[in-house]
Amino acid sequence: MTFSFLHVGIICIVYISIIFGVAYATENGWISEKVVTHPIVYVFSLGIFASAWSFYGVIDLAQNFGYGALAYYLGTGALFLLSPLTLKPLTELARRYQITSMADLLTFRYHSHSVGGIVTLCMLLAMTPLLALQIKAVGDTIHILTLYSGDNLTSNNSDFGSREMFALAYCIVITFFAVLFGSNRERHKGLITAMAFESLIKLFGLCAVGIFALYYVFDGPADLDLWLTENPENIDRLYSTVNTASFHTMLLVFLSTAISMPHIFHMTVVENKVKDASRLVSWAFPLFLFFMALPIFPILWAGLKLNSQMPAEYFPLAVPIASGNATFTIISFIAGLSAATGAVIAIALSVATMIMNYWILPSTPLRTKKEIYGQLTRIRRILIAVVIVIGYGFYLSLKNRFNLTDLAISAFIATLQFLPGILAVVYWSRGNRRGFIAGLFVGIAIWFSGIFMPMIWGQHNYTITIFDVPVVLGVQSWSALTLWSLALNAITFIVVSHYSSQSHDERYSAELCSEDELSHPIRLTLDVRSPDEMVERLSERIGESTARIEVEKALQSLALNANESRPYALRLLRNEVEANLSGLLGIALASEIVDKQLPFKLPEKEADTDITLMENRISDMRDELTGVAGELNQLRLYHRRTFEELPLAACSVGKDMEVMLWNSALEDLTGIASESVTGSRLAEVLDPWGPLLTDFFSSAKAHFYKQEIELLGKPHWISLHKALVPSSFFQKVDSQVMILEDVTELQILEQELIHSERLASIGRLAAGVAHEIGNPVTGIACLAQNMRYETDNEELLETSEQILSQTDRVSKIVQSLVSFSHSGSHQNSVSDEVNLWQCAQEGINLIALQIERGQMNYQNKIPEPLVIKGDSQRIIQVFVNLLSNARDASPENTDIVIEGEQTPDYVKFSVTDGGSGISDEIKDQILEPFFTTKEPGEGTGLGLAMVYSIIDDHKGSIEIISPVDKVLQKGTKFVVKLPIALESHRI
C-alpha cells in the first residue's frame, strides 16, 4: 500500500498549517484565555519531550533492551515526580530574572558572558543529532508511504536520494513555519498551545496504533497472551536483553533530559505560567508518560507477528501498512509528523535564540536610530533557518548509516554533560565558572571524539589504544562513554572549583540561585532620579524609541507612574527593565547594558538590608509558606500589624535615610499615605515633615521636644523620639525607629495656664493698684465736695460737680477691677444672691475698657430685680466671655443686646450680636476646648468652653440660636438658662 507524494505533501502542509493556525489564533486572542492558561494545556505542552524518537525510536529501544526501554519513561517521570526539588527552583529563577534559555541560566549563575558562548556552541553540537533524527524520521516515513515496496528500508540505500528530497522538502516547509513561530520577542503563548495540541495528536496517534495492534492484529489481550505463550522468545527477550549497567546508564541519561535539553528546558521552565505548577506537573506529566508507554510493547509484538521487514523503529507505521489499513496508516504518519515537527520548531527556536544572544548581538552593533525589534526579528528568523539547515546538513552527512536510537543516544549523552553545572545552579554555590567550563570541556571532548566524530566518519565503533589499553569508541559503546564522560566532567568541575576562587559578582549570583534573593536583600543606591533619566541613559545603547517603550512597559507592569522618584520604586523599575531586556537581548547583554547605563552606586559602608523587598517577596509567597516558615510568617505579620496599629505615629528609616515603614497613625498625623512614602528618601517627604525628620535623623539627640511646625496655616507642636535598631546579622546600626507625638493641645493648654497665671498676677496687681488709686480718688472727691460747700461761684460749683462725677466713674471702674480680680482667688457660695443686671453691667464696664477693639453699643435690658443664686464673679466671667465673642463677631458700632426674664421654672438671659452667624457645620464644636474660628494668635478656643463649664457648675444649660435674623441670615444669640433655686453647696 503506497501513497502519492502529492497526497503526502498535502497532508504535511495541512497539518503544519493547523499547528501554526492554533498558535496564531492563540496569539491573537481567538482562543479563550481560560483555555490557553489552563494547567492541562501546560502539561500537554511538556509533551515536546516526546519527539519523533519517542514515537518511533523507542520501539527499537524496546526490541534491543526489552524492559530496559522503560528507563526512558522512568527516568523522566522520576524527574517530574521530584519537580518541587528539581524544576521549581529553576522555574522561580526563570520567572524572576526573565531567563529564556539554558545559556541564560548558566550565564546568570556563573556570571560570565563567555559561559553563555561556550554553552551555545555545545548545545548546537548536541542538538544537531536530535534535529537530524527528526528530519530522518520524516524523510523515512514519507519514503515508506510513497515508495516502500516491502524491501528492508535500511538496506535499500539506492533510494536514499528520494529520502533526501523528501527531507529537504519537509525542511523547507518547516523552516517557513518555524520562522513565524519565532517572529516576536515575547514568551510564545501560541507556542504553548500549539505544542499542547501537537502532544495531544501524537498521544492519540500512538494509543490509536496500540489499540489497532491489540484488537486488529491480535484480536484482543487474550489473543496477545496466547501468541506470547506460543512465542516465548519474545518474553525472554524482555528480560535477557536487559543489562543492569546499561539500564542504570539509560536511567541517568533520561533523568537529566528535561532540564538539560534546551527546547525541553524552554517549555518546562521558561514558558511555565501556571502558578505552583510543580505540584501539578509532579503527577500529571508522569501520567502522560504512562499513557505514552502503554502501546510500546503491543506495537512491537504486532510488528513481529506480521514479520515486518521494516526496522522496529518504524513499526508504528509498518503495522497499519502491513495490515492494509489506510486510516490508521495516516493517523500514525500524522502523529509521527506531529512529534517531529514540534521538536524541530522548539529546538530551532531555542538554539537560534542562544546563538543570537551570545554570538551575534555581542559582535553586531544595534542600530539605535530606530526600534531594534525589527532588526532582532530578522536575525532570529535567519538563525532559525540556519539551525534547521545545519540539522539537515548533518542528516545528509550520515547517509542513513545510523538509526533513530543512535542519534537520540548521541544527543542525550551530549546534553547530559550540562547536568553538573545545572545542579550547581541551585544546590552547590561553591561551584564556579572555571570549574564548570573545565568540566564541560572534558565531558564534551569525550563525547565529541568518542561518539560525534565517529558518526560523521560513518563508524559505529572503532578501537584505539591509550597507554597500551584498548579503548572502544563509537555509538555502540555509548554506555561506557556516558559514565566516563559524566564522571570525569563532575570530578573536574569539583576539583577546579575547589582550588580556584570565585569573583564577588559570581559569588553573589551563586547565592541568589542557591539560597534565594531574600537571604541577601541588599539595598543599593541607584544613580538615576526618574524614569525619564532611565530612558535618556538607555537611549545611548538601544535607541530612544526602544528605551522609552521598554521603560513604559516596565512602569505599566509595576503599576508605577511616570513621575516616580522613590529610590525603591526606581530599583524595581531598573530590575524590571533589565528582565525585559533579558527576554529581548539575552541576560548577558541585557545585564551589561543595564549595569553600564544604570549602575548602582557602591556603598561607602556596608549596604543596608532591603526590608521593603523582603516584605513584598514574603507577601507574594505567603500562600506557599507552610510549617515553620508559615509560623514565622504569622509571627512577622503579628509584629507588623502591631507596628501598624500603634496609637503613636512611628516610622522606620534605614541608615541611608530611606523610609522602610510608615504606620497608620503617622499617616493620620501627616496626611501622607504609606504607599507613597515607603521606599523614598527621608528628605523627599513633603514639607514640613521631610526637613523635620531629616534634622532629627541626623541629630545625635534622642529626643526633640515641642518642635513648632505649621500645618494648614496653623501652628502645631511635635515631640520626636528615636531608637537605633541594630542589624540582626552584624549587630551594627541598620535603621532608626522614630516616634512622633502631637503635643499641640498640651502646648496650647500650657500656654493658657501660663496666660491664666499671668492674668491672675495682673488681677492681683490690679487689686493693689485699685486700692492705691482709691485713696487719692477719695481724697479728690472730698476736696470737690468741700469746694462745693465753700464757694458760691457757679463755675467752681460746676467744676466740682464734674470732678465728683469723674471720681465716681473712676471709683466704679476701680471697684469693677477689684471685684473681677477676686474671681477665682476665693470661692463664693452658689447660694449667694446674684443680681444679673449688675453682673451684666460689670461685664459691659470691663469690656468697654478695651477701646482698641472698637466701639459697640451695649444694651443691658435685663430687669434690675432679676436675681439668681450663684457665684457673682463667675457669672460676671460668663458675661465677659459672651460679650467678648459678640464684640469680635460684630461690625463696629453694632448693637449688642443683653436680655433676661424669669419663668416659673428658671431664669434665662441672652446675649445677641449682629455678626454673620455660625454655620451648622461648626455649631456643635464651638463649645469644645481649643476650637476657634479666629486667626492664629487671635484666640485660644477656651472662652466658650469656660462659659459652658461655669453654667454647667450652676446646673444650667446653654443654647445657641444662629442665625437670629432668618431673612438676612445674620446674628447669633447665646441663651443661658439657670435654675431659680440651687441646693446650697460649694463649687
Side-chain angles (χ1 to χ4, degrees), residues 919-963:
S919 65
D920 293 336
E921 290 78 7
I922 65 173
K923 190 179 294 184
D924 294 335
Q925 304 178 53
I926 61 173
L927 296 178
E928 296 178 359
F930 307 110
F931 179 82
T932 180
T933 59
K934 298 177 182 178
E935 294 297 323
E938 295 294 327
T940 63
L942 292 173
L944 291 177
M946 185 180 296
V947 168
Y948 178 82
S949 176
I950 294 172
I951 298 303
D952 185 64
D953 287 343
H954 283 75
K955 307 301 181 183
S957 64
I958 185 168
E959 178 185 0
I960 303 171
I961 301 174
S962 183

Side-chain angles (χ1 to χ4, degrees), residues 49-211:
F49 169 80
S51 64
W53 184 77
S54 302
F55 191 85
Y56 294 117
V58 74
I59 308 295
D60 179 67
L61 195 68
Q63 184 182 39
N64 293 325
F65 293 93
Y67 283 133
L70 296 178
Y72 177 71
Y73 302 100
L74 292 174
T76 307
L79 178 72
F80 280 92
L81 284 171
L82 299 174
S83 59
L85 296 176
T86 56
L87 299 178
K88 185 178 179 180
L90 299 178
T91 302
E92 291 297 327
L93 283 173
R95 181 182 292 114
R96 186 178 306 163
Y97 300 108
Q98 284 282 9
I99 292 173
T100 59
S101 67
M102 179 68 68
D104 279 352
L105 174 69
L106 296 173
T107 297
F108 178 80
R109 164 60 177 83
Y110 299 104
H111 205 81
S112 170
H113 187 275
S114 61
V115 167
I118 294 171
V119 168
T120 299
L121 175 62
C122 295
M123 279 295 181
L124 178 61
L125 292 174
M127 289 296 100
T128 300
L130 199 60
L131 273 174
L133 185 156
Q134 317 305 319
I135 297 170
K136 172 179 170 57
V138 174
D140 286 350
T141 53
I142 295 175
H143 170 74
I144 292 171
L145 288 179
T146 57
L147 299 175
Y148 180 67
S149 59
D151 295 333
N152 189 306
L153 183 66
T154 56
S155 63
N156 191 2
N157 289 328
S158 60
D159 291 330
F160 179 75
S162 63
R163 288 193 298 271
E164 180 184 30
M165 291 298 297
F166 297 149
L168 178 61
Y170 170 74
C171 287
I172 293 173
V173 174
I174 200 63
T175 300
F176 172 76
F177 285 102
V179 296
L180 295 179
F181 268 108
S183 62
N184 60 62
R185 51 78 56 97
E186 306 291 344
R187 289 181 174 179
H188 307 87
K189 182 169 59 175
L191 180 63
I192 296 178
T193 311
M195 294 303 100
F197 177 77
E198 174 264 331
S199 297
L200 188 62
I201 292 298
K202 64 190 174 191
L203 176 62
F204 169 77
L206 192 61
C207 290
V209 175
I211 293 172

Side-chain angles (χ1 to χ4, degrees), residues 304-316:
L304 295 175
K305 179 182 179 181
L306 294 173
N307 294 318
S308 174
Q309 299 302 308
M310 277 193 253
E313 59 190 7
Y314 293 117
F315 276 7

Side-chain angles (χ1 to χ4, degrees), residues 39-50:
I40 197 65
V41 174
Y42 170 66
V43 171
F44 272 108
S45 70
L46 299 180
I48 191 68
F49 169 80

Side-chain angles (χ1 to χ4, degrees), residues 127-366:
M127 289 296 100
T128 300
L130 199 60
L131 273 174
L133 185 156
Q134 317 305 319
I135 297 170
K136 172 179 170 57
V138 174
D140 286 350
T141 53
I142 295 175
H143 170 74
I144 292 171
L145 288 179
T146 57
L147 299 175
Y148 180 67
S149 59
D151 295 333
N152 189 306
L153 183 66
T154 56
S155 63
N156 191 2
N157 289 328
S158 60
D159 291 330
F160 179 75
S162 63
R163 288 193 298 271
E164 180 184 30
M165 291 298 297
F166 297 149
L168 178 61
Y170 170 74
C171 287
I172 293 173
V173 174
I174 200 63
T175 300
F176 172 76
F177 285 102
V179 296
L180 295 179
F181 268 108
S183 62
N184 60 62
R185 51 78 56 97
E186 306 291 344
R187 289 181 174 179
H188 307 87
K189 182 169 59 175
L191 180 63
I192 296 178
T193 311
M195 294 303 100
F197 177 77
E198 174 264 331
S199 297
L200 188 62
I201 292 298
K202 64 190 174 191
L203 176 62
F204 169 77
L206 192 61
C207 290
V209 175
I211 293 172
F212 177 83
L214 184 61
Y215 288 95
Y216 188 89
V217 177
F218 285 107
D219 198 21
D223 186 51
L224 173 59
D225 186 61
L226 179 62
W227 182 82
L228 289 174
T229 303
E230 295 174 350
N231 299 273
E233 66 277 6
N234 293 303
I235 295 292
D236 295 338
R237 186 182 294 113
L238 296 178
Y239 301 98
S240 60
T241 56
V242 175
N243 181 284
T244 302
S246 297
F247 177 80
H248 291 163
T249 304
M250 282 192 294
L251 197 64
L252 176 63
V253 169
F254 298 135
L255 183 67
S256 65
T257 301
I259 58 174
S260 59
M261 284 200 163
H263 62 299
I264 301 176
F265 174 86
H266 183 85
M267 296 302 300
T268 305
V269 176
V270 178
E271 298 287 355
N272 178 13
K273 292 187 177 182
V274 181
K275 187 177 181 181
D276 198 20
S278 58
R279 297 180 182 178
L280 172 69
V281 170
S282 65
W283 63 267
F285 191 68
L287 185 63
F288 173 85
L289 295 176
F290 171 76
F291 284 108
M292 287 288 293
L294 281 179
I296 299 303
F297 290 103
I299 294 174
L300 173 63
W301 292 324
L304 295 175
K305 179 182 179 181
L306 294 173
N307 294 318
S308 174
Q309 299 302 308
M310 277 193 253
E313 59 190 7
Y314 293 117
F315 276 7
L317 192 61
V319 168
I321 288 178
S323 302
N325 192 302
T327 301
F328 279 90
T329 299
I330 294 176
I331 290 175
S332 178
F333 172 71
I334 292 176
L337 177 67
S338 176
T341 299
V344 170
I345 292 175
I347 293 171
L349 181 61
S350 59
V351 175
T353 300
M354 288 191 290
I355 293 175
M356 181 181 73
N357 292 342
Y358 291 95
W359 290 0
I360 305 301
L361 293 182
S363 59
T364 304
L366 296 173

Side-chain angles (χ1 to χ4, degrees), residues 15 22 61 127 154 226 244 252 265 275 308 401 516 535 537 545-546 583 589 600 628 671 729 830 840:
Y15 177 74
V22 171
L61 195 68
M127 289 296 100
T154 56
L226 179 62
T244 302
L252 176 63
F265 174 86
K275 187 177 181 181
S308 174
R401 287 175 292 197
D516 193 283
V535 173
R537 293 194 181 189
S545 176
T546 304
L589 185 57
F600 282 119
V628 176
F729 298 103
V830 296

Side-chain angles (χ1 to χ4, degrees), residues 762-925:
I762 292 173
R764 290 190 293 270
L765 177 61
V769 171
H771 177 73
E772 295 298 327
I773 291 175
N775 292 330
V777 169
T778 301
I780 293 171
C782 291
L783 292 173
Q785 289 177 358
N786 292 336
M787 184 186 298
R788 188 174 53 180
Y789 293 111
E790 294 177 356
T791 182
D792 293 329
N793 190 311
E794 292 182 359
E795 291 182 0
L796 292 176
L797 290 174
E798 183 179 354
T799 300
S800 65
E801 289 296 331
Q802 290 178 355
I803 291 173
L804 288 172
S805 174
Q806 295 302 320
T807 54
D808 182 59
R809 182 183 176 192
V810 170
S811 296
K812 289 180 180 179
I813 292 173
V814 169
Q815 184 61 38
S816 295
L817 287 173
V818 171
S819 298
F820 189 72
S821 68
H822 291 163
S823 176
S825 62
H826 62 82
Q827 301 296 336
N828 295 329
S829 171
V830 296
S831 62
D832 294 343
E833 288 190 354
V834 178
N835 187 290
L836 285 181
W837 184 90
Q838 292 179 353
C839 290
Q841 196 60 40
E842 288 287 345
I844 291 173
N845 293 339
L846 290 169
I847 289 296
L849 292 175
Q850 296 179 312
I851 58 175
E852 74 279 0
R853 294 285 185 161
Q855 296 299 318
M856 297 291 166
N857 300 323
Y858 299 102
Q859 301 178 18
N860 186 356
K861 295 183 178 182
I862 297 178
E864 291 191 21
L866 195 60
V867 177
I868 65 168
K869 290 186 178 181
D871 184 340
S872 61
Q873 297 305 320
R874 301 188 76 190
I875 296 299
I876 293 174
Q877 181 71 56
V878 169
F879 278 109
V880 169
N881 288 349
L882 291 178
L883 290 171
S884 176
N885 277 331
R887 179 198 60 202
D888 294 341
S890 303
E892 194 170 355
N893 295 318
T894 299
D895 293 337
I896 297 177
V897 182
I898 308 172
E899 298 175 304
E901 64 175 323
Q902 182 174 342
T903 68
D905 300 323
Y906 54 82
V907 172
K908 73 175 182 179
F909 65 87
S910 64
V911 177
T912 305
D913 63 43
S916 58
I918 301 173
S919 65
D920 293 336
E921 290 78 7
I922 65 173
K923 190 179 294 184
D924 294 335
Q925 304 178 53

